[in-house]
Amino acid sequence: MDHFAYHAGLLCAEDVPLPDIAASVGTPFYVYSTATLERHFRVMDEALAGLDRLVCFAVKACGNLAVLRALARLGAGMDVVSEGELRRALAVGVPGERIVFAGVGKTRAEMAAALSAGVGQFNVESEQELVALDAVAREMGVRAPVAIRVNPDVDALTHAKISTGKAEDKFGVPIARAPAVYARAAALSGIEVVGVDVHIGSQITALEPFEQAFAKVAGLVETLRADGLTIRRVDLGGGLGIPYVRSNEAPPLPFDYGAVVRRTVGALGATVVVEPGRLIAGNAGLLVAAVIYRKQGEGRDFLIVDAAMNDLIRPAMYDAWHDIVPVVEPGPDAPVAPVDVVGPVCETGDTFARARPLPRLEAGDLVAFRSAGAYGAAMASEYNARPLVPEVLVAGSRFDVVRRRPTYDEMMSRERIPDWLD
Ligand SMILES: *Cc1c(COP(=O)(O)O)cnc(C)c1O
């Protein structure tokens, strides 16, 4: 459920009509709903009720400071994958012990920054990384709290680019090798083994892959404990999918996911950590754009909008489907006809939707791309020298620009022309 709905014929974010934001900020822009972010966080947290738990928002899904702050206020932890994300989490007041540092390629400098911040858990993905982290921690005179990310070799049944738990994926340590890696970790004086970690992919729309992976993790925890290790945390990663297509895609409910967690790892008595990104932010954000032209092609019509693949790359990158809706509510009998919705970038990949049935829209009309709150603004670039799309946060009837659109001068100011080109 989200807080984007038509009121008096206009699509609103909570109580704010989107045309008001467009008039003040210009298009395109991202808009997030605070109430929706809060609701999604609480739904996930409550799905794990009764367990000792820590819900860490995956910052990479939507790293805007205001969004992070809205979640931090509720007690969310953060899952970070770089020093930049670590700094963002700290900047919004998340205590170090609520931060999990993940990623296959942590540098020594990043490890040192995370140790200084007192992060609660490093998710270590290889023996090489374990040895490096041990050395950095010993140099600093501390011990690094570690969970080893295991690769359970299960098929998450999702898009190949966001599947991470199969044997051929680059992530984690093969689960069969894990006991040996843990034995090695336990012998390192800069390492404190605290848990086991798994993350099998993203936009997962069935419970079976989770059930298989978590059951394997539970088995591993028992083996490790029998080996004498203290395993007090079980990190199950993120990955729960969301509905992108209204009505005909029904990902599992967080409540049912919670039941799987309880059934598989609930009896271990460990703190359960989860790292949802998309589930919290995905349906809490829209990308709003204006139609520039309506163009008639050979046998198909194009709606050329002022947002492009650099602003929302998911359709080009993951063949993702986004619901596209007019901001002015169409009448119940308004005729619909198929159009290709495209951006201005010089690539055929800059196509948001093909043959999408939409009511007739004209230049200047506003459209909203739904489910754009996760991996939208976070993956935006300045490709084609297009300014980074601004972000707006709504709460009730107020809205604030939480990342403004850069000026062209700002965009060029980080570059310089060397003297020898004069
Ligand atoms: C991407 C990622 C997440 C978040 O995934 P979602 O599908 O957005 O929930 C969590 N943990 C790790 C390790 C990730 O790489």
Side-chain angles (χ1 to χ4, degrees):
M1 210 212 85
D2 62 52
H3 291 77
F4 301 105
Y6 291 108
H7 298 298
L10 293 176
L11 188 60
C12 296
E14 302 189 24
D15 302 331
V16 182
L18 295 180
D20 290 4
I21 303 176
S24 146
V25 178
T27 54
F29 62 88
Y30 277 96
V31 56
Y32 308 113
S33 151
T34 308
T36 311
L37 289 164
E38 292 177 347
R39 185 190 145 80
H40 291 166
F41 174 79
R42 291 207 172 99
V43 165
M44 189 63 188
D45 190 50
E46 283 159 18
L48 303 175
L51 296 168
D52 188 29
R53 62 195 185 274
L54 178 60
V55 178
C56 290
F57 176 63
V59 173
K60 72 170 194 248
C62 186
N64 186 284
L65 294 176
V67 168
L68 299 183
R69 179 68 197 145
L71 295 168
R73 276 202 311 185
L74 305 181
M78 301 277 157
D79 167 56
V80 305
V81 294
S82 67
E83 182 171 345
E85 288 189 357
L86 171 67
R87 287 176 182 251
R88 283 177 177 271
L90 295 171
V92 300
V94 179
E97 67 265 22
R98 288 183 169 273
I99 297 175
V100 170
F101 191 12
V104 291
K106 301 175 198 75
T107 65
R108 284 164 190 256
E110 288 178 314
M111 291 171 177
L115 286 168
S116 301
V119 305
Q121 180 183 321
F122 287 81
N123 289 340
V124 168
E125 301 220 13
S126 66
E127 289 177 73
Q128 294 75 6
E129 184 191 339
L130 191 61
V131 169
L133 180 58
D134 172 58
V136 174
R138 280 189 289 109
E139 263 166 45
M140 294 174 67
V142 295
R143 297 184 86 192
V146 161
I148 307 282
R149 177 169 176 180
V150 296
N151 185 324
D153 193 21
V154 302
D155 189 344
L157 307 172
T158 185
H159 191 279
K161 282 185 186 151
I162 49 176
S163 168
T164 60
K166 285 196 279 186
E168 68 259 34
D169 297 327
K170 71 180 174 186
F171 300 97
V173 170
I175 195 159
R177 264 199 60 69
V181 177
Y182 271 94
R184 185 162 181 200
L188 298 171
S189 63
I191 300 292
E192 182 200 3
V193 171
V194 298
V196 176
D197 169 49
V198 73
H199 170 77
I200 57 173
S202 197
Q203 187 51 19
I204 299 170
T205 54
L207 286 174
E208 291 73 33
F210 289 119
E211 179 123 28
Q212 285 172 25
F214 301 169
K216 288 190 180 189
V217 164
L220 175 64
V221 171
E222 276 158 12
T223 305
L224 297 174
R225 285 181 173 169
D227 289 348
L229 284 152
T230 304
I231 304 293
R232 53 184 169 84
R233 296 170 75 126
V234 174
D235 182 339
L236 302 174
L240 193 53
I242 60 167
Y244 279 94
V245 186
R246 278 185 300 178
S247 76
N248 65 20
E249 192 183 53
L253 298 172
F255 181 81
D256 296 326
Y257 171 89
V260 169
V261 171
R262 240 179 285 277
R263 192 153 70 226
T264 50
V265 303
L268 296 171
T271 300
V272 172
V273 182
V274 289
E275 305 167 346
R278 191 186 312 269
L279 183 84
I280 289 175
N283 278 324
L286 306 179
L287 172 63
V288 180
V291 175
I292 309 177
Y293 299 113
R294 178 183 189 94
K295 173 177 167 176
Q296 260 142 30
E298 280 294 327
R300 59 172 72 224
D301 284 359
F302 295 97
L303 213 51
I304 304 169
V305 299
D306 63 2
M309 63 189 290
N310 68 297
D311 305 311
L312 177 65
I313 204 167
R314 298 190 65 262
M317 182 114 152
Y318 309 116
D319 309 309
W321 198 102
H322 283 268
D323 194 14
I324 303 172
V325 294
V327 166
V328 174
E329 186 172 20
D333 303 323
V336 295
V339 285
D340 284 13
V341 181
V342 302
V345 164
C346 313
E347 290 195 27
T348 305
D350 188 23
T351 298
F352 291 114
R354 288 194 187 281
R356 182 69 63 88
L358 280 174
R360 190 171 176 91
L361 292 163
E362 303 294 343
D365 288 345
L366 298 176
V367 292
F369 295 79
R370 286 185 168 272
S371 313
Y375 309 105
M379 295 181 84
S381 76
E382 291 180 347
Y383 185 41
N384 273 216
R386 292 167 50 84
L388 269 190
V389 69
E391 296 170 280
V392 172
L393 184 67
V394 169
S397 58
R398 68 172 298 174
F399 72 89
D400 276 283
V401 176
V402 294
R403 180 175 78 189
R404 65 184 175 77
R405 199 186 308 277
T407 65
Y408 290 109
D409 284 343
E410 280 173 317
M411 290 167 63
M412 289 188 276
S413 67
R414 285 187 297 207
E415 298 165 36
R416 65 180 280 278
I417 299 170
D419 300 344
W420 47 265
L421 284 175
D422 277 351

